[in-house]
Amino acid sequence: MEEKDILGTWKEYTLTNNQNMSVSILNYGGIITKIIVPDQNGKKENVVLGYKHYQDYEANPNYFGALIGRVAGRIQGATFTLNGESYSLEKNNGENHQHGGSDGFHQVIWEGQTFQTEDTVGLHLKHRSRDGEGGYPGNLDVMVTYTLTSANQLVINYTAKTDKTTPIALTNHSYFNLSGNLKETVKNHHVAIDSSQFMELDEHLIPTGTLIDVEGTPFDFRAGRILGTGFNHHFGQNKIAGNGYDHYFIFDETKENKVVLKDPTSGRVLVVKTDQPGMVMYTSNGLEEGLRLREADSSKHLGVCFETQGPPASLHHERFPTIVLNAGEVYERRTEFAFGVEE
């Protein structure tokens, strides 16, 4: 366990296990700045996108590694209605609200506390989002716990309570690239997803309320496929997302492993398990070129995000799993990212 001061009030915590894996996290935005894991030859390298200079996280328009809330994703028209009352949010994505707005959880200093057990090391992060903050109702007390196990699992536990009914959909926005130190894009990464349906998007990347069956489309990852097959595909939904993926996949709940990501060159494997109903897979289609990242300059399709969360589209389409947390109830969600190599 290492703790160092960054930019005054910022701290970076580095969790290290006995298997040559480490995870570094800022108290600012709960941002994961790097994840170091070995490849098939034991070579340790970073497998997430992060800035070369810490001060660039202050703006962080791409949300590299950040905790997102109160609601991750886009809220149509920056409005929603709860119990007959309408709420207006900041329009920070065209006419829509995205990732909690400019005062979202990715922009706050969290209260950090480390812990250690016989086979884990971790970090508790706490934050109180006050009633009316960002337009959301209720005082919301949030705790996010990052736990690194001796089996190379990074577990993220989310807990929250509110004193007024409010929507909540928390996630982490890490961009994964298993090639190690950003040697290449994720074009040749192989992905399997336990999902037979995804949400159709309109031209503003807002779910229309229609579910599309993945059968016969570049969105069919049930048996696994190469990510790049959807990057320049004629399929309309890939084009809308900027030649790639930025869609919510609903999990079938047929497999314990919701996502399996593999890089054929490094041999690294990432397995995602979660109790969330689905996730947004984003293949950094909108990532601009030339940002100074830790190991290389940024480019399109340099990383893939697995934003496990409840769907904000449920605020406007009742058929989807709800993200509403009632006063007095407890929000509890868990996502596990397990790293290994192909046998």
Side-chain angles (χ1 to χ4, degrees):
M1 172 76 68
E2 181 187 350
E3 179 181 329
K4 64 178 179 179
D5 292 332
I6 307 285
L7 300 178
T9 56
W10 295 15
K11 292 183 185 297
E12 184 179 52
Y13 302 88
T14 297
L15 314 176
T16 305
N17 68 9
N18 56 5
Q19 300 293 318
N20 293 322
M21 177 176 172
S22 68
V23 180
S24 297
I25 305 154
L26 292 176
N27 63 343
Y28 177 76
I31 293 168
I32 294 175
T33 58
K34 58 187 172 185
I35 297 178
I36 308 293
V37 293
D39 68 4
Q40 59 195 354
N41 299 314
K43 186 177 182 181
K44 296 190 296 181
E45 294 173 307
N46 183 27
V47 294
V48 292
L49 276 62
Y51 285 111
K52 183 180 181 71
H53 304 294
Y54 286 102
Q55 57 264 35
D56 289 337
Y57 284 112
E58 197 160 9
N60 199 14
N62 297 290
Y63 305 92
F64 291 136
L67 292 177
I68 307 296
R70 292 187 189 190
V71 175
R74 297 174 178 87
I75 295 180
Q76 180 180 345
T79 61
F80 62 89
T81 301
L82 280 182
N83 300 327
E85 187 171 348
S86 294
Y87 295 89
S88 295
L89 308 172
E90 175 189 3
K91 295 180 178 180
N92 64 325
N93 182 255
E95 290 299 302
N96 307 304
H97 176 80
Q98 184 181 27
H99 289 336
S102 54
D103 294 325
F105 293 173
H106 64 292
Q107 299 271 272
V108 302
I109 301 275
W110 293 69
E111 177 188 335
Q113 182 180 5
T114 59
F115 64 90
Q116 194 160 355
T117 69
E118 188 175 341
D119 58 357
T120 69
V121 60
L123 174 66
H124 296 300
L125 292 174
K126 294 181 181 179
H127 173 63
R128 164 166 271 210
S129 176
R130 302 204 172 272
D131 184 21
E133 207 169 83
Y136 291 96
N139 293 299
L140 185 73
D141 290 304
V142 183
M143 184 167 77
V144 178
T145 301
Y146 290 106
T147 305
L148 176 60
T149 75
S150 57
N152 283 3
Q153 301 154 322
L154 174 62
V155 181
I156 310 179
N157 286 284
Y158 305 88
T159 306
K161 294 180 181 179
T162 181
D163 57 7
K164 284 185 187 176
T165 299
T166 189
I168 179 172
L170 306 181
T171 197
N172 177 275
H173 207 290
S174 286
Y175 292 66
F176 296 100
N177 182 323
L178 300 185
S179 71
N181 292 348
L182 307 183
K183 284 195 285 293
E184 53 187 76
T185 71
V186 295
K187 178 181 178 181
N188 294 316
H189 279 38
H190 184 274
V191 183
I193 304 174
D194 179 32
S195 174
S196 56
Q197 290 184 312
F198 70 97
M199 293 187 185
E200 179 186 57
L201 298 179
D202 67 16
E203 65 274 17
H204 302 294
L205 303 180
I206 296 294
T208 63
T210 297
L211 291 176
I212 298 179
D213 289 337
V214 301
E215 184 75 39
T217 78
F219 287 72
D220 191 353
F221 289 92
R222 289 172 297 181
R225 69 188 303 138
I226 301 299
L227 262 184
T229 59
F231 287 176
N232 297 296
H233 204 275
H234 65 272
F235 192 64
Q237 285 294 299
N238 290 118
K239 283 187 174 181
I240 277 178
N243 294 326
Y245 302 90
D246 193 6
H247 295 73
Y248 191 95
F249 290 78
I250 293 182
F251 294 135
D252 288 345
E253 306 298 343
T254 59
K255 300 175 183 175
E256 185 182 6
N257 297 340
K258 300 307 176 191
V259 181
V260 179
L261 178 70
K262 298 179 180 179
D263 173 52
T265 305
S266 71
R268 290 187 180 93
V269 178
L270 168 61
V271 175
V272 183
K273 300 178 182 180
T274 186
D275 56 9
Q276 295 279 17
M279 69 165 187
V280 173
M281 182 172 73
Y282 174 56
T283 48
S284 49
N285 323 309
L287 180 56
E288 62 270 36
E289 295 190 357
L291 298 178
R292 298 292 302 279
L293 305 183
R294 188 178 293 274
E295 299 87 8
D297 285 355
S298 63
S299 62
K300 189 171 183 172
H301 300 146
L302 192 57
V304 56
C305 302
F306 301 116
E307 302 164 54
T308 57
Q309 60 174 94
S314 63
L315 292 172
H316 295 90
H317 303 282
E318 291 184 359
R319 64 183 297 191
F320 300 143
T322 184
I323 62 167
V324 173
L325 178 68
N326 293 315
E329 292 182 348
V330 179
Y331 171 94
E332 287 185 296
R333 299 289 184 273
R334 182 184 191 274
T335 295
E336 172 192 305
F337 299 99
F339 294 87
V341 294
E342 288 205 83
E343 298 296 330

